[in-house]
Amino acid sequence: MFEARLVLEAVKELITEANFEVSGGGITLQAMDSSHVSLVALSLRSDGFEHFRADRSFSMGMNLNNMAKMLKCAANDDVITMKAEENSDVVTFLFESAGQGRVSEFELKLMDITSENLGIPDTEYSATVSMPSTEFQRITKDLGSIGDTVEISVTKDGVKFSTNGDIGSANVICRQNLNVEKQEEQTVIDMHEPVSLTFALRYLTSFTKATALSPSVVIKLSKELPVVVEYKVADFGYVRYYLAPKIEDEEMEEQ
Amino acid sequence: MFEARLVLEAVKELITEANFEVSGGGITLQAMDSSHVSLVALSLRSDGFEHFRADRSFSMGMNLNNMAKMLKCAANDDVITMKAEENSDVVTFLFESAGQGRVSEFELKLMDITSENLGIPDTEYSATVSMPSTEFQRITKDLGSIGDTVEISVTKDGVKFSTNGDIGSANVICRQNLNVEKQEEQTVIDMHEPVSLTFALRYLTSFTKATALSPSVVIKLSKELPVVVEYKVADFGYVRYYLAPKIEDEEMEEQ
Amino acid sequence: MFEARLVLEAVKELITEANFEVSGGGITLQAMDSSHVSLVALSLRSDGFEHFRADRSFSMGMNLNNMAKMLKCAANDDVITMKAEENSDVVTFLFESAGQGRVSEFELKLMDITSENLGIPDTEYSATVSMPSTEFQRITKDLGSIGDTVEISVTKDGVKFSTNGDIGSANVICRQNLNVEKQEEQTVIDMHEPVSLTFALRYLTSFTKATALSPSVVIKLSKELPVVVEYKVADFGYVRYYLAPKIEDEEMEEQ
């Protein structure tokens, strides 16, 4: 339940409506943000649910803000059940309090949404950075108060985030750091070749709405390819964000 | 003191000015909200005050927001005294800190307010529901995020709150529940005959501003009569709200 | 670091840009607010810094909001270093995390600001009141909800704050109070002659943004002179505010 809300919070700033694809294997969702710049992909495997049954594969178009409104009506320790009948135009959320003194039934109207499922090829990335998700959130927020874009550069020594703005400039360097007790507090840099790409900060900042989902974030970079920013959902899924690099940056690099 | 502020918070969203009726027996207030849809009645018995003296009965017209502004100027552990002289056009609030290092005197201008005291007949209600006030607050808030009106239906099994809106519909059923340790956490349903009435949610939501006053709320319903929503003020008074049911509902029931 | 942010919060509501004067002795700043009514003076001695070196005296014009933006990018336990090169048009803030896993470098553009350093003569004040800073903050906030100006009157018995407004009036009397354990909770009145002056409340309220800097505030009053409101910065500096009394008050006193 808790995770259902966190997942929604993680994606509803970027996308307002989306098709949830349900099958025996679980639930997936893929959608571009309204400005068609970034892509969100969500996957939740069926074995992560206490109980999961899907007799056939189908798609449910939902307004994510309305879905979030209804999920907010569940108390934290309620048992949540989501039910959808074949050919129904609603999905039902059932919230039962411990002891079942209160039973709430919320029906959300479904929508027809034209979806455009993009195949995302599996790629070998030039550099993969794993770092604490709160640190990545803080850096995008801090740099966002100075400039509009961020250059992310990975060398074997560390990852550098740089920005420029009217009031000045900023550089944050995070070094590889394996000497911490918890694995999720480590900064791990896995680099095949150095890479330096520039991105719009406001999208990266939106991606960090997923910070509550996972203590660490994985960032994958390759020249001319969209960056992948990935947050695990417990041990049964993920939210991934894709964002194309700024062309200007490419040009600057070629000079 | 603490209660004085809570009582004000409980009523000042609905009514901005009102006559406080003071007599040897205590303080009462009765006023309709500015749209003349709901009625608020407050009663505080004199024995609930540490010290109370009224040589005669009189009425003090006050702007509740201004009164709240002045009461906010008292520190939590100040001793508060309210004083009014005969024929004066001000009421004085005296706040004394423990040890009396600080003494504050606030004078609030009184107003002439035309009051219209309605006699509220004592009625035998079809159904009386007592439930945790936070639960009632949560339900009105949750349903208010879906629809504009709520149908409250009481049967011997429980009380059902239902709403409908553009995004979908919702139903919350609370069953009688006596198996909890504290009396104020019980849901008790006392029903002579089933009753089902529809109300504007935004008024019910305003009534729940009184939630901090009492852990439980009592809701009294009878066909074609205004609902009564009652919160106790410690053991020496109450705030009661009255709201007429929607006529449309009556028509729907008759069909 | 913590203090650097508190000092900025204390002054940036009143002044948006200012010249920081740096010399071997420390850092000072003096500026009038944008409406040229009140004056802020800041002084931080060099011995209060962990490490301080200034090879020559110079002035750095900064936008305080932009400076605050950059200082917000330091984590609470970062080591902060401020660096300025001769003839540079930027100042550099360096934030290093414990263990130096993260190193951030923020460059803030400097500005040319015409400064008008006023000599403030040392004066023997008629009355000096030292009181808990939170109490002074609370009084200016409370009276500000009733009226626009406050009359501050000091007699040997105490200090009285009075205001008048549309909704009524208010008086708060604080008596000398030496019988408290901590010195900063004392109210100490040092009076050569009684004094009564009237000030615009909104400036006093702005001054109390410095409350977090020090548990006590010192208020110095003399007829026809600006009031001084002083907050200590740890044991190595101060923030002082100056505000001229209202002329109307002088006239009223003369009647």
Side-chain angles (χ1 to χ4, degrees):
Chain A
M1 167 50 205
F2 183 56
E3 275 130 6
R5 275 196 211 144
L6 292 183
V7 165
L8 266 180
E9 290 304 315
V11 302
K12 79 188 177 59
E13 184 172 298
L14 283 164
I15 52 178
T16 53
E17 338 186 308
N19 283 320
F20 287 78
E21 309 292 339
V22 181
S23 70
I27 298 176
T28 62
L29 171 157
Q30 200 195 86
M32 300 207 72
D33 74 277
S34 56
S35 57
H36 279 239
V37 172
S38 64
L39 180 89
V40 179
L42 164 70
S43 172
L44 301 173
R45 284 197 316 279
S46 58
D47 60 6
F49 296 85
E50 205 167 304
H51 179 83
F52 190 97
R53 208 192 79 207
D55 299 334
R56 54 176 189 101
S57 295
F58 62 103
S59 169
M60 291 188 298
M62 292 196 230
N63 178 300
L64 300 189
N65 286 312
N66 294 344
M67 187 185 175
K69 266 186 196 172
M70 291 197 171
L71 287 182
K72 268 192 194 131
C73 299
N76 278 329
D77 44 4
D78 280 2
V79 174
I80 315 282
T81 309
M82 182 168 112
K83 292 190 297 186
E85 303 285 331
E86 196 154 3
N87 298 324
S88 170
D89 58 351
V90 298
V91 57
T92 303
F93 298 101
L94 204 69
F95 310 141
E96 289 164 285
S97 68
Q100 304 193 307
R102 177 179 39 74
V103 178
S104 306
E105 205 177 75
F106 283 74
E107 285 190 349
L108 176 65
K109 287 182 190 163
L110 295 178
M111 320 170 67
D112 277 323
I113 299 171
T114 323
S115 68
E116 21 171 0
N117 235 323
L118 303 172
I120 300 162
D122 249 347
T123 313
E124 189 78 11
Y125 284 91
S126 302
T128 300
V129 176
S130 172
M131 63 190 291
S133 59
T134 50
E135 183 132 329
F136 179 62
Q137 180 180 41
R138 166 146 208 150
I139 290 168
T140 61
K141 181 171 161 282
D142 285 351
L143 300 199
S145 71
I146 311 294
D148 295 327
T149 62
V150 60
E151 185 186 2
I152 306 181
S153 309
V154 184
T155 62
K156 64 181 165 31
D157 293 333
V159 51
K160 184 168 81 167
F161 302 86
S162 314
T163 193
N164 261 290
D166 292 341
I167 72 169
S169 62
N171 264 296
V172 180
I173 297 169
C174 299
R175 299 206 184 88
Q176 172 143 305
N177 181 6
L178 309 174
N179 298 323
V180 281
E181 227 168 280
K182 295 177 191 162
Q183 205 191 323
E184 63 256 29
E185 289 174 2
Q186 292 184 349
T187 299
V188 184
I189 290 160
D190 177 14
M191 191 200 75
H192 301 300
E193 56 173 339
V195 61
S196 177
L197 296 167
T198 300
F199 302 97
L201 267 165
R202 68 186 195 89
Y203 288 99
L204 294 185
T205 304
S206 284
F207 300 169
T208 64
K209 294 278 169 184
T211 300
L213 276 174
S214 173
S216 69
V217 60
V218 176
I219 304 163
K220 298 177 185 174
L221 299 145
S222 272
K223 201 179 170 186
E224 289 170 33
L225 277 190
V227 62
V228 185
V229 178
E230 177 179 311
Y231 296 86
K232 292 256 180 299
V233 179
D235 54 355
F236 68 100
Y238 59 78
V239 177
R240 281 187 196 141
Y241 303 92
Y242 298 83
L243 177 66
K246 288 258 180 193
I247 304 299
E248 300 96 306
D249 179 60
E250 303 296 291
E251 283 167 355
M252 280 164 62
E253 278 187 19
E254 281 158 15
Q255 281 169 3
Chain B
M1 168 48 206
F2 184 55
E3 274 130 8
R5 275 196 211 146
L6 291 183
V7 164
L8 265 181
E9 290 303 315
V11 302
K12 81 187 176 59
E13 184 172 297
L14 283 163
I15 52 179
T16 53
E17 340 186 304
N19 283 319
F20 287 79
E21 309 292 340
V22 181
S23 71
I27 299 177
T28 62
L29 172 157
Q30 200 195 86
M32 298 207 73
D33 74 278
S34 56
S35 57
H36 278 241
V37 171
S38 65
L39 180 89
V40 180
L42 164 70
S43 173
L44 301 173
R45 284 198 317 277
S46 58
D47 60 7
F49 295 84
E50 203 167 305
H51 179 82
F52 189 98
R53 206 191 79 207
D55 299 335
R56 55 174 189 102
S57 295
F58 62 103
S59 169
M60 292 189 298
M62 292 196 229
N63 178 300
L64 300 190
N65 286 312
N66 294 344
M67 186 184 175
K69 267 186 195 171
M70 291 197 170
L71 287 183
K72 269 192 194 131
C73 299
N76 278 328
D77 44 3
D78 281 1
V79 174
I80 316 281
T81 310
M82 181 169 114
K83 291 191 297 186
E85 303 285 331
E86 196 154 3
N87 298 325
S88 170
D89 59 351
V90 298
V91 57
T92 303
F93 298 101
L94 204 70
F95 310 141
E96 289 164 286
S97 68
Q100 304 194 308
R102 178 179 39 75
V103 178
S104 307
E105 203 177 74
F106 284 74
E107 284 190 350
L108 176 64
K109 287 181 191 164
L110 296 179
M111 321 170 67
D112 277 323
I113 298 171
T114 324
S115 68
E116 21 169 0
N117 235 323
L118 302 173
I120 300 163
D122 248 347
T123 313
E124 189 77 11
Y125 284 92
S126 301
T128 300
V129 176
S130 173
M131 63 190 291
S133 59
T134 51
E135 183 134 328
F136 179 61
Q137 181 180 39
R138 166 147 207 148
I139 291 168
T140 61
K141 181 171 160 285
D142 286 349
L143 299 199
S145 71
I146 312 292
D148 295 329
T149 61
V150 59
E151 185 184 3
I152 306 181
S153 308
V154 184
T155 62
K156 63 182 167 30
D157 292 333
V159 52
K160 184 169 79 168
F161 301 87
S162 314
T163 193
N164 261 291
D166 291 342
I167 72 169
S169 63
N171 264 299
V172 180
I173 297 170
C174 299
R175 299 206 184 89
Q176 172 142 306
N177 180 6
L178 308 174
N179 298 324
V180 282
E181 227 167 280
K182 295 176 191 162
Q183 205 191 323
E184 62 258 27
E185 290 175 4
Q186 292 184 347
T187 298
V188 185
I189 290 161
D190 177 13
M191 190 201 75
H192 301 301
E193 56 173 340
V195 60
S196 177
L197 297 167
T198 300
F199 302 97
L201 267 165
R202 70 186 195 87
Y203 288 99
L204 293 186
T205 303
S206 283
F207 298 170
T208 64
K209 294 277 170 185
T211 300
L213 277 173
S214 173
S216 68
V217 59
V218 176
I219 304 163
K220 297 176 184 174
L221 299 145
S222 274
K223 201 178 169 186
E224 288 170 33
L225 278 189
V227 61
V228 185
V229 178
E230 178 180 310
Y231 295 86
K232 292 257 180 297
V233 179
D235 54 353
F236 69 99
Y238 59 76
V239 178
R240 281 186 197 142
Y241 302 92
Y242 298 82
L243 176 66
K246 287 259 179 191
I247 304 299
E248 301 97 305
D249 180 57
E250 303 294 294
E251 283 166 355
M252 281 163 62
E253 278 188 19
E254 283 159 12
Q255 282 169 3
Chain C
M1 168 50 202
F2 183 56
E3 274 130 8
R5 277 197 211 143
L6 291 183
V7 165
L8 265 181
E9 289 303 315
V11 302
K12 80 188 176 57
E13 184 172 297
L14 283 163
I15 52 179
T16 53
E17 338 184 308
N19 283 320
F20 287 80
E21 310 292 340
V22 181
S23 71
I27 299 177
T28 62
L29 172 157
Q30 200 194 85
M32 300 207 71
D33 74 278
S34 56
S35 57
H36 279 239
V37 172
S38 64
L39 180 89
V40 179
L42 163 72
S43 173
L44 301 173
R45 284 197 317 277
S46 57
D47 59 7
F49 295 84
E50 204 167 305
H51 179 83
F52 189 99
R53 206 192 79 208
D55 299 335
R56 53 173 189 104
S57 295
F58 62 104
S59 169
M60 292 188 297
M62 293 196 230
N63 177 300
L64 300 189
N65 286 312
N66 294 344
M67 186 185 176
K69 267 186 197 171
M70 291 196 171
L71 287 182
K72 270 192 193 130
C73 299
N76 278 330
D77 44 4
D78 281 0
V79 175
I80 314 281
T81 310
M82 181 168 112
K83 291 191 297 188
E85 303 286 332
E86 195 154 3
N87 299 324
S88 170
D89 58 352
V90 297
V91 58
T92 304
F93 298 101
L94 204 69
F95 310 140
E96 288 164 287
S97 66
Q100 304 194 308
R102 178 178 39 74
V103 178
S104 307
E105 204 177 75
F106 283 74
E107 285 191 349
L108 177 65
K109 287 183 190 162
L110 295 179
M111 320 170 65
D112 277 323
I113 300 171
T114 325
S115 68
E116 21 170 0
N117 236 324
L118 303 172
I120 300 162
D122 248 346
T123 314
E124 189 77 11
Y125 285 91
S126 302
T128 300
V129 176
S130 172
M131 63 190 290
S133 59
T134 51
E135 183 133 328
F136 180 61
Q137 181 180 40
R138 165 148 207 148
I139 290 168
T140 61
K141 181 172 161 283
D142 285 350
L143 299 199
S145 70
I146 312 291
D148 295 328
T149 61
V150 60
E151 184 184 4
I152 306 180
S153 309
V154 184
T155 62
K156 64 179 166 33
D157 293 333
V159 52
K160 183 168 82 168
F161 302 87
S162 315
T163 193
N164 261 292
D166 291 341
I167 72 168
S169 63
N171 264 299
V172 180
I173 296 169
C174 298
R175 299 204 185 90
Q176 171 143 306
N177 179 7
L178 309 175
N179 297 323
V180 281
E181 227 169 280
K182 296 178 189 160
Q183 205 191 323
E184 62 257 29
E185 289 173 3
Q186 290 184 350
T187 298
V188 185
I189 291 160
D190 176 14
M191 192 200 75
H192 301 301
E193 57 173 337
V195 60
S196 176
L197 296 167
T198 300
F199 302 97
L201 266 165
R202 69 186 195 88
Y203 288 99
L204 294 186
T205 303
S206 284
F207 300 169
T208 64
K209 294 277 169 186
T211 301
L213 276 173
S214 173
S216 69
V217 60
V218 175
I219 303 162
K220 298 177 184 174
L221 299 145
S222 270
K223 202 179 169 184
E224 287 170 35
L225 277 189
V227 62
V228 185
V229 178
E230 177 180 311
Y231 296 86
K232 291 255 179 299
V233 179
D235 54 354
F236 68 99
Y238 58 77
V239 178
R240 281 186 197 143
Y241 302 93
Y242 298 82
L243 176 67
K246 288 258 178 192
I247 305 299
E248 301 96 306
D249 179 59
E250 302 296 292
E251 282 166 356
M252 281 162 64
E253 278 187 17
E254 282 159 13
Q255 280 169 6

